[in-house]
Structures are given as structure tokens and as C-alpha cells.
Amino acid sequence: MEKELVKRVLTGDRPTGRLHLGHFVGSIQNRLKLQETYTDVFYMVADVQALTDNADNPEKVRDHVREVVIDNLSCGIDPEKTTIFVQSMIPQ
């Protein structure tokens, strides 16, 4: 008996500003396909990673976390199919 593999993917964005058409064409369209093909899809708002080049302006990062999530949801990311999380909220 062959074991079925779980297809898992992690994707995300750094919340350094509002998303734009380039994000939609370059990544969000692919995320929409991924959530239909993979068993486990995780979308990370990479706020800690964004601080690497925004350390002098952490408010910019903090202020855009919600906007990035809203933009992805409004484009069709389905929270029933994709686990959405903010990097800084995961203690591990």
C-alpha cells in the first residue's frame, strides 16, 4: 500500500506597502492556483523579515500588515483553504 503524500506550500509577502497590480500578476494569481492544488497552504505576512530593511520605520511595517491580508482576501485567497498568519505572532 502506497502512502499518499501531503502537498504543502508556504508563501507570503513582506508588509512594506500596499499591494499593487504587479503583486497580483507576479504572486497572488499563483496563490489562487496553489490553494486549489495543494493540501496544506500557508500564507505568511512576513513582518519580522520586513524589519531587516525597515528597522528605522517599524510603524510602516506594522501599519501594512492588515492591508496586505485584506488585499489577498479581496483577490480570492480563501481562509477555508489557506492558513493565514503573521510571522511575529508565532513564538517558535
Side-chain angles (χ1 to χ4, degrees):
M1 180 189 287
E2 194 171 314
K3 221 177 175 182
E4 186 178 328
L5 294 176
V6 175
K7 295 169 80 176
R8 183 173 294 146
V9 67
L10 170 66
T11 184
D13 287 309
R14 295 170 2 117
T16 55
R18 294 187 58 95
L19 299 184
H20 49 74
L21 185 58
H23 290 100
F24 181 75
V25 173
S27 62
I28 296 174
Q29 281 183 326
N30 288 326
R31 285 187 197 125
L32 296 173
K33 293 175 190 170
L34 291 172
Q35 73 181 6
E36 300 304 324
T37 8
Y38 282 76
T39 308
D40 293 328
V41 180
F42 298 90
Y43 172 77
M44 174 176 63
V45 181
D47 59 338
V48 175
Q49 184 184 22
L51 290 173
T52 58
D53 58 348
N54 289 281
D56 60 333
N57 192 3
E59 306 82 37
K60 173 184 173 184
V61 174
R62 187 173 38 253
D63 292 345
H64 287 97
V65 169
R66 182 176 293 178
E67 294 295 325
V68 168
V69 173
I70 290 169
D71 290 346
N72 275 273
L73 291 171
S74 66
C75 289
I77 296 300
D78 183 350
E80 295 290 325
K81 298 176 181 177
T82 299
T83 300
I84 301 169
F85 68 97
V86 178
Q87 183 182 19
S88 65
M89 302 295 286
I90 306 298
Q92 291 77 1

